[in-house]
């Protein structure tokens, strides 16, 4: 998940995946509804409750020194 979300960052298009319009980061990390997304089993495994998954997903991106 991190690899895909970080592609626009690695390409120099944005400095964080939340800033890329087409990213699923807003839904997976911030809980912003997106009707075209389907929850992936790897995402579902991050927690039983929605808030647990949001927090866990944001943690994946906490290391700003790691771009990949």
């Amino acid at each position: 998940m991190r690899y895909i979300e970080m592609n626009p960052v690695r390409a120099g298009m944005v400095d964080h995946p939340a800033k890329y319009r087409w990213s699923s980061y807003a839904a997976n990390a911030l809980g912003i509804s997106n009707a075209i997304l389907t929850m992936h089993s790897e995402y579902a495994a991050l927690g039983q409750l929605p808030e647990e998954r949001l927090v866990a997903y944001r943690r994946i991106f906490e290391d700003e020194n790691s771009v990949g």
Side-chain angles (χ1 to χ4, degrees):
M1 292 180 288
R2 179 179 165 80
Y3 178 81
I4 300 246
E5 300 281 27
M6 293 302 291
N7 277 337
V9 177
R10 282 189 295 276
M13 299 166 69
V14 292
D15 62 357
H16 191 274
K19 294 180 181 177
Y20 186 63
R21 177 181 182 178
W22 305 110
S23 173
S24 61
Y25 184 90
N28 293 332
L30 306 176
I32 296 172
S33 180
N34 187 326
I36 66 169
L37 294 180
T38 302
M39 187 184 308
H40 191 279
S41 61
E42 291 295 320
Y43 180 75
L46 293 176
Q48 291 184 342
L49 301 174
E51 185 59 33
E52 291 174 340
R53 290 189 291 270
L54 295 172
V55 169
Y57 200 80
R58 287 191 301 263
R59 281 192 193 125
I60 294 170
F61 298 86
E62 284 181 351
D63 183 7
E64 295 180 19
N65 295 322
S66 176
V67 186

